[in-house]
Amino acid sequence: YTGSNPTIKSLARKMLVRGSGIRDIAYTLKISTGCVLRILLSYAKIPLVPKLKHYHQVQVDELYSFVQNKDKKVWILYAYCAQTNEILAATMGKRNKKTVRELYNRLKDITINFWCTDNWEAFKAILPTQKHKIGKEFTKAIEGVNTYLRNTCKRLIRRTTAFSKKVINHCAPIKLTMIHRNFTKSLI
């Protein structure tokens, strides 16, 4: 069975990270779409784990995508440290305080001196006021990461027709892209 070949699994993962669709991968590698989904979901179980226990500044931003169709918007909130060039945590959901609280709880075990965000009310409500910096001058680096994610992950392209039918199938390639970014050395 071709789908059990470790080389094929590695190629499928690389194609997923580079923005290929599930059907494209299945066709190119001559495996079933179910096999591609199993490969994707197996890699999605890898957690985003911060490398350090203390960070000076962490930038938080949100970007949106769609599940099933353009009427069902899903927001991806994530935390990024520019000093270490790593994505620390991510969460998906509605654009509300609950999703911000979930992201905040994922980072509660590490020490963060300053949270840098834009002027969204949910950030003001959840993040500690004395450690919160608001403004575009504090979030320039994460905006570049947004561009990278949109260019790399097909599901984040704004004018896309690549919709996932399920939220878990949507979340997995985004998380896989983030994990890959954390472990890939920049050539610049």
Side-chain angles (χ1 to χ4, degrees), residues 128-159:
T129 309
Q130 67 278 13
K131 295 183 173 187
H132 193 185
K133 293 182 178 181
I134 299 171
K136 289 288 182 189
E137 66 269 18
F138 303 116
T139 59
K140 286 180 184 175
I142 200 167
E143 295 297 338
V145 177
N146 286 350
T147 303
Y148 169 85
L149 292 173
R150 286 200 183 279
N151 284 325
T152 306
C153 190
K154 189 174 185 179
R155 285 158 183 83
L156 295 176
I157 298 170
R158 289 189 177 147
R159 296 187 182 269

Side-chain angles (χ1 to χ4, degrees), residues 18-137:
R18 298 304 307 159
S20 297
I22 290 168
R23 286 180 183 81
D24 293 338
I25 296 168
Y27 178 79
T28 305
L29 299 178
K30 295 178 178 43
I31 57 177
S32 69
T33 55
C35 180
V36 177
L37 282 171
R38 282 190 298 278
I39 292 167
L40 174 63
L41 294 175
S42 72
Y43 284 108
K45 293 176 185 175
I46 301 168
L48 272 170
V49 179
K51 294 175 187 171
L52 306 174
K53 291 290 181 191
H54 179 265
Y55 292 91
H56 180 64
Q57 280 189 344
V58 170
Q59 300 175 28
V60 180
D61 202 12
E62 75 278 356
L63 56 130
Y64 65 87
S65 186
F66 305 99
V67 175
Q68 289 185 337
N69 58 47
K70 292 254 179 176
D71 296 331
K72 295 186 181 178
K73 201 179 261 192
V74 175
W75 289 87
I76 298 104
L77 271 75
Y78 69 102
Y80 170 74
C81 179
Q83 288 84 14
T84 60
N85 193 25
E86 72 178 300
I87 297 172
L88 306 175
T91 187
M92 292 178 69
K94 295 182 179 181
R95 190 172 191 255
N96 57 23
K97 292 178 187 175
K98 180 182 174 189
T99 310
V100 176
R101 188 173 290 113
E102 187 178 324
L103 180 68
Y104 182 73
N105 287 338
R106 289 182 185 205
L107 295 169
K108 68 181 177 188
D109 294 335
I110 61 174
T111 305
I112 297 171
N113 292 348
F114 294 102
W115 296 86
C116 304
T117 68
D118 55 17
N119 198 16
W120 181 33
E121 291 298 322
F123 289 143
K124 292 179 187 177
I126 303 300
L127 301 176
T129 309
Q130 67 278 13
K131 295 183 173 187
H132 193 185
K133 293 182 178 181
I134 299 171
K136 289 288 182 189
E137 66 269 18

Side-chain angles (χ1 to χ4, degrees), residues 147-185:
T147 303
Y148 169 85
L149 292 173
R150 286 200 183 279
N151 284 325
T152 306
C153 190
K154 189 174 185 179
R155 285 158 183 83
L156 295 176
I157 298 170
R158 289 189 177 147
R159 296 187 182 269
T160 188
T161 57
F163 301 115
S164 297
K165 293 179 183 175
K166 297 180 181 178
V167 174
I168 191 159
N169 294 346
H170 189 74
C171 179
I174 296 168
K175 187 176 173 189
L176 183 62
T177 304
M178 290 177 172
I179 290 168
H180 182 266
R181 187 186 185 286
N182 281 352
F183 290 104
T184 305
K185 301 252 186 229

